[in-house]
Amino acid sequence: MLEAKRMAFQFPASLTPDFRITLDEGGGRWSVKCSGILDAPNAAALLQPELLRLHAAVVAAKIPVVELQLEEVEYINSSGLKSFMAWFLAAANAGDFRYTIEVVYDPGRSWQQLSLRPMERLAPRTVKLLPRGAAGTNTPAR
């Protein structure tokens, strides 16, 4: 029974050939790790439904913090960024249960900060940007 609860949510094995997204449901916080390149023209159609399913699972499990690790993402096109923004807004507008999304990014990839900063401003109580290696992140500085 415990194993069934632990594996309550999984992303599909492959959304696109060059982009990977996985979930670690550890303790009182979940960690979503992304890597690769998301530049498919239909990125929103592929990713957004999965992120909204994740949102529903987080709310159902009452997970207070989700860490989104983007340090290993080389590029996300505007369609992919729209998918993440839809998730951030769903979390920000959740009715009964709200949670925080800590976005760990690589400050060496200028597009990440430039793209993510406006998202943080649109959902300031929900989205917290953390440069890789910042206090509270699980990811060591390189």
Side-chain angles (χ1 to χ4, degrees), residues 3 18 21-22 28 40 74 83 87 111 113 120-121 125 136:
E3 183 65 22
D18 298 323
I21 184 167
T22 59
E74 295 176 44
S83 300
W87 172 33
W111 72 266
Q113 187 164 337
E120 180 184 44
R121 287 187 188 121
R125 292 185 180 156

Side-chain angles (χ1 to χ4, degrees), residues 12-70:
S14 177
L15 290 173
T16 70
D18 298 323
F19 186 74
R20 183 161 164 78
I21 184 167
T22 59
L23 174 67
D24 177 25
E25 298 176 5
R29 65 189 285 139
W30 288 1
S31 181
V32 176
K33 183 174 183 178
C34 302
S35 61
I37 298 169
L38 183 59
D39 66 352
N42 61 343
L46 297 170
L47 183 59
Q48 188 169 324
E50 297 305 321
L51 291 174
L52 294 178
R53 274 190 337 108
L54 171 66
H55 166 70
V58 169
V59 170
K62 298 203 180 317
I63 301 299
V65 178
V66 176
E67 180 183 62
L68 174 61
Q69 298 177 22
L70 296 178

Side-chain angles (χ1 to χ4, degrees), residues 70 103 105 111-120 129:
L70 296 178
V103 183
Y105 69 96
W111 72 266
Q112 288 188 359
Q113 187 164 337
L114 290 171
S115 298
L116 296 169
R117 186 70 56 199
M119 293 181 180
E120 180 184 44
L129 294 186

